[in-house]
Amino acid sequence: MTYELKKIAIVGAGGKMGMRISNNLQGSHYSVTYCENSPRAQEQILATGRTLSATNDVVPQADVVILAVPDVALETVSAQVVPQMKNGAILLTLDPAASYAGLLAQRDGIHQAVAHPCHPSVFLERYTKEEHADAFGGNAAVQDVCAAFESGNDKQRSELANIIAVMYGPVGVVHWVTVKQLAYLEPTLVETVACMVGSFMKEALDETINRIGLPEAAAKAMLYGHIQIALAVSFRSTNPFSDACMIAMEYGREQIIKPDWKKIFDEKELDLIIARMLKIDAVRKADAA
Ligand SMILES: NC(=O)c1ccc[n+]([C@@H]2O[C@H](COP(=O)([O-])OP(=O)(O)OC[C@H]3O[C@@H](n4cnc5c(N)ncnc54)[C@H](O)[C@@H]3O)[C@@H](O)[C@H]2O)c1
């Protein structure tokens, strides 16, 4: 197969995501260069046997520049990198927030893409110890990826999907959505709701152990099993919740959830949370001028 997207530059290659995607891209058929500005993170890259490159040296040659830097740095780093990129190259970021907020430097001829890993599904059939141990994905357990690529052509999209499948591999499906849709997935659906509920359940577990005095092992056994069954019943209709359980659930809703909670899906709220995450006053929108 002939492919055009061969040279990849990773900026922020010594960070958490930078190391993960570098581990997967190293040894692939892509030509990959690694850029990092923190001395400690540079040492981590060197310890893996990879070599360091200067961003300004490799970006002008790259077909794809992956910015694995913190979201709050993306405005500055993209302003440095985008003017140096070659025509037709792709700027790939790993989270939709900065793109949605209009913080990324734009240039005619430079395409922008965002690819965010879904993490392996709670319903994934796992067979090996390695698959069971891989909660984050990118190692042994298959995960899907949600990605946005709103300019460029189908060939580039298909080549980009191949790169995404390597960097986050093993990957099942790359789901193409818009940047705005991706922002509704993360943060709204998975961070504002799912991660919040996860940490909320941990708080309830601590309260059960510390305030009520339940043995930790008993409380954990009861909760972990019920997390599994609650998800199976809610998402897969394996069997119905019992009548008494539904009364307790209704009580939980009344006590814990605000009646107007669905406003988190209002665009105004999405704008507010993205601005808060990026530590900016407000998101910038092309149609706001
Ligand atoms: N951490 C996660 O679980 C996770 C998951 C999915 C997506 N993401 C996204 O991945 C991106 C990176 O997040 P992270 O958690 O890996 O961040 P991180 O803070 O762990 O790493 C960022 C790295 O970028 C480096 N860096 C900063 N400015 C630089 C510059 N100008 N030149 C070269 N290197 C520079 C830093 O030194 C650091 O090593 C973000 O967009 C984030 O939203 C993170």
Side-chain angles (χ1 to χ4, degrees):
M1 175 183 147
T2 59
Y3 57 96
E4 286 162 13
L5 305 180
K6 296 177 202 150
K7 291 190 177 169
I8 300 175
I10 306 175
V11 182
K16 290 185 283 299
M17 289 305 283
M19 290 296 281
R20 286 176 186 277
I21 63 177
S22 298
N23 289 342
N24 285 354
L25 283 165
Q26 185 181 21
S28 69
H29 63 278
Y30 297 105
S31 158
V32 189
T33 47
Y34 309 94
C35 313
E36 174 57 60
N37 70 356
S38 130
R40 208 159 136 243
Q42 287 176 343
E43 276 173 31
Q44 289 210 81
I45 296 174
L46 294 173
T48 66
R50 296 190 276 270
T51 53
L52 289 164
S53 298
T55 306
N56 294 349
D57 290 344
V58 293
V59 161
Q61 272 84 49
D63 302 307
V64 178
V65 177
I66 302 178
L67 296 187
V69 303
D71 294 316
V72 290
L74 276 170
E75 183 173 21
T76 312
V77 177
S78 67
Q80 177 203 343
V81 159
V82 169
Q84 303 184 54
M85 290 171 69
K86 67 179 181 190
N87 265 333
I90 295 170
L91 184 78
L92 175 58
T93 51
L94 310 182
D95 184 280
S99 178
Y100 178 79
L103 299 189
L104 299 181
Q106 313 263 345
R107 205 188 92 202
D108 280 349
I110 300 299
H111 303 293
Q112 296 199 351
V114 188
H116 196 88
C118 295
H119 305 297
S121 166
V122 70
F123 298 117
L124 178 71
E125 288 179 22
R126 299 167 191 248
Y127 303 98
T128 64
K129 272 191 176 174
E130 290 75 18
E131 284 172 272
H132 280 282
D134 188 12
F136 193 92
N139 184 10
V142 173
Q143 64 178 336
D144 285 1
V145 176
C146 285
F149 185 56
E150 294 181 61
S151 63
N153 57 41
D154 287 347
K155 182 166 184 343
Q156 287 168 320
R157 178 175 289 101
S158 134
E159 289 198 23
L160 202 48
N162 291 337
I163 293 174
I164 290 167
V166 174
M167 64 192 244
Y168 290 139
V171 165
V173 177
V174 178
H175 303 273
W176 293 106
V177 295
T178 64
V179 168
K180 185 173 175 180
Q181 289 172 333
L182 197 49
Y184 271 117
L185 292 174
E186 169 152 346
T188 306
L189 179 63
V190 299
E191 291 180 328
T192 302
V193 179
C195 294
M196 184 279 291
V197 169
S199 78
F200 172 73
M201 287 194 288
K202 170 68 169 67
E203 225 176 297
L205 174 69
D206 291 343
E207 198 70 1
T208 310
I209 296 164
N210 300 330
R211 178 156 150 207
I212 310 300
L214 258 289
E216 186 175 332
K220 280 184 173 170
M222 196 70 164
L223 180 63
Y224 294 172
H226 277 77
I227 289 174
Q228 159 98 352
I229 197 66
L231 294 179
V233 174
S234 300
F235 291 95
R236 301 206 132 177
S237 307
T238 48
N239 52 284
F241 289 116
S242 72
D243 292 350
C245 175
M246 286 201 280
I247 294 170
M249 285 166 64
E250 199 182 309
Y251 165 76
R253 242 175 204 280
E254 287 161 11
Q255 297 300 317
I256 298 166
I257 301 205
K258 289 187 182 174
D260 66 343
W261 74 270
K262 286 185 184 164
K263 73 175 188 184
I264 63 169
F265 288 97
D266 293 350
E267 188 170 331
K268 188 168 62 79
E269 293 290 325
L270 176 65
D271 292 358
L272 287 175
I273 182 57
I274 296 255
R276 192 161 146 187
M277 293 169 84
L278 293 170
K279 304 183 197 313
I280 56 174
D281 291 338
V283 301
R284 297 171 208 156
K285 290 190 169 171
D287 55 7

